[in-house]
Each structure stands twice: as C-alpha cells, then as structure tokens.
Amino acid sequence: MPLLTAVCRVDRLLPDSGSVGVTAIDKRPLDVPVPVKPLGVWGDVQASRKHHGGPDKAVYAYADEDALHFGDLLGYEVTPGLFGENLRTSGLDVTGAVLGERWAVGDGLLLEVTMPRTPCATFQRRLREPRWVARFQAEGRPGAYLRVMKSGPAAAGDQIVVVSRPSHGVTIGDCFAGLTPEAARSLLDADERLSDVVRGIAAKVVDRDSVQSLQKS
C-alpha cells in the first residue's frame, strides 16, 4: 500500500542570489499531522509566487524510490524536503502518475496530479551541484505538483489510494520529457481539467505540429 513517509514545510527562508533575494526551498519534515488546504500545507510559503505556489502547484510530491536513485547518483542521502517537496511517498510511481489522477490521502485529503516539477536555478543553488538542472532533467524523475480537491490533514504514515485515473494516459514523465503531438491532442481532447501551464504547452505542441504538417504538404 502506498504511504506518505514525510510531510514537509518551509523551516526558514534562506538568503539566495536570485531576483527575490530569499528562497523557501528549505523544507523539513513535521512530526505532527498538518492541514493541507487549497494553497498547500498549512504554514508553508513560497518566496517567488511568479513561478511557485498557487492552486495548481499547491503541493509538491516526491517518491522515496526516486530519492534513493538520486542518493546513489550524488553519493549522499536525499533526505525528505531536500528537493523542496511537501510530500514524500513510498510505493507510488509518481513519475508514472497520469495527469489528472486523484489520490485520497489519510483521513479525507484529496489531491489531483497537475504537472511535473521544472528544475530551476534556485534548486541548483540549493544542491550546490555542478550543472544540476541539466542532470536532474536528464534523469527523468521530476516529482509531481498537485492541486487540493478536498482539504484534510496529512501525516507520515498516511495511506495513499489512487481513486481515479484519466483514460488519456499521459503521465508526469511524458510531460516532463516533452509532449508528443499525439499526447498533446489526447490531453486537449480529454474532459479532465488541465492546469493552464499544461494546456498551454499542449496547445503549442499541436499548433507547431499542424504548421509542420502544412509545410510538408
């Protein structure tokens, strides 16, 4: 049974050389249940609201299995919260999660998968690893953002149940690797709600493919 192995929120704002001057990427595990609401884990914050946070990026989930992979790559433990995640999971294929699938967590919390995480320069500065953005991208294990469909508490040890999964089959991994025209059309034709980011990406892929098809004809 998939489980939450940690729930994390910002411990403190850290100085950062980016445009905002501080970063909220320093997340740490909590030892008590915490409410999760439409804008995320209670008490969590985002320093840059332009690129982080909001209803479609309310919660960031990362898998223990992917953290172990990166731990082997980096030579040290990727502890819960190190990648800036709010939820650490076990037994759940986060990269294989279908956009729009829903997770029931613990006692009443309902989450919906929206999009993969895009690595940024702040993340690279956090890890202090050379070429980290490119290396993270190449491994294809981005973790998933989720929106909160129903508020509820979350705590380490809570069970996770995938209660629904859209038929289009387009996954977090597919989106992170770059949507094919076929996948983009499947998303746009689906009845499920898409985040503005994913809908915009899908529309651009379809438009570009249409232009290329006309040029070839």
Side-chain angles (χ1 to χ4, degrees), residues 34-114:
V34 60
V36 182
K37 299 186 176 184
L39 291 179
V41 174
W42 183 83
D44 199 33
V45 297
Q46 300 83 36
S48 173
R49 297 294 177 86
K50 180 178 180 180
H51 301 293
H52 304 96
D56 289 338
K57 296 182 180 179
V59 178
Y60 176 44
Y62 207 74
D64 277 338
E65 295 80 1
D66 292 332
L68 285 171
H69 171 84
F70 274 112
D72 290 341
L73 183 71
L74 293 168
Y76 54 81
E77 183 182 2
V78 177
T79 54
L82 183 64
F83 282 6
E85 74 271 23
N86 302 111
L87 305 181
R88 182 67 75 84
T89 69
S90 177
L92 185 66
D93 183 3
V94 176
T95 302
V98 173
L99 299 179
E101 79 174 38
R102 293 187 175 185
W103 304 348
V105 180
D107 186 20
L109 178 62
L110 183 64
L111 303 172
E112 184 176 86
V113 175
T114 58

Side-chain angles (χ1 to χ4, degrees), residues 5-197:
T5 53
V7 179
C8 308
R9 72 180 175 200
V10 65
D11 181 68
R12 55 182 172 167
L13 296 178
L14 298 176
D16 182 66
S17 61
S19 59
V20 179
V22 294
T23 174
I25 199 172
D26 183 16
K27 314 290 186 185
R28 305 287 178 92
L30 301 166
D31 57 8
V32 295
V34 60
V36 182
K37 299 186 176 184
L39 291 179
V41 174
W42 183 83
D44 199 33
V45 297
Q46 300 83 36
S48 173
R49 297 294 177 86
K50 180 178 180 180
H51 301 293
H52 304 96
D56 289 338
K57 296 182 180 179
V59 178
Y60 176 44
Y62 207 74
D64 277 338
E65 295 80 1
D66 292 332
L68 285 171
H69 171 84
F70 274 112
D72 290 341
L73 183 71
L74 293 168
Y76 54 81
E77 183 182 2
V78 177
T79 54
L82 183 64
F83 282 6
E85 74 271 23
N86 302 111
L87 305 181
R88 182 67 75 84
T89 69
S90 177
L92 185 66
D93 183 3
V94 176
T95 302
V98 173
L99 299 179
E101 79 174 38
R102 293 187 175 185
W103 304 348
V105 180
D107 186 20
L109 178 62
L110 183 64
L111 303 172
E112 184 176 86
V113 175
T114 58
M115 70 186 87
R117 184 246 193 93
T118 301
C120 63
T122 302
F123 189 25
Q124 182 159 303
R125 290 190 292 270
R126 161 76 159 169
L127 270 290
R128 299 180 181 176
E129 295 286 344
R131 300 184 61 255
W132 177 246
V133 168
R135 292 164 65 190
F136 185 83
Q137 185 89 28
E139 295 301 314
R141 299 167 183 259
Y145 282 117
L146 303 107
R147 67 170 62 97
V148 179
M149 305 305 296
K150 182 181 177 183
S151 299
D158 282 350
Q159 293 186 347
I160 305 171
V161 179
V162 179
V163 295
S164 66
R165 180 171 284 148
S167 60
H168 59 69
V170 181
T171 68
I172 285 290
D174 295 331
C175 191
F176 189 65
L179 292 173
T180 65
E182 294 75 18
R185 288 189 175 89
S186 294
L187 285 174
L188 295 176
D189 290 343
D191 292 333
E192 284 78 18
R193 175 185 161 193
L194 298 175
S195 70
D196 291 342
V197 170

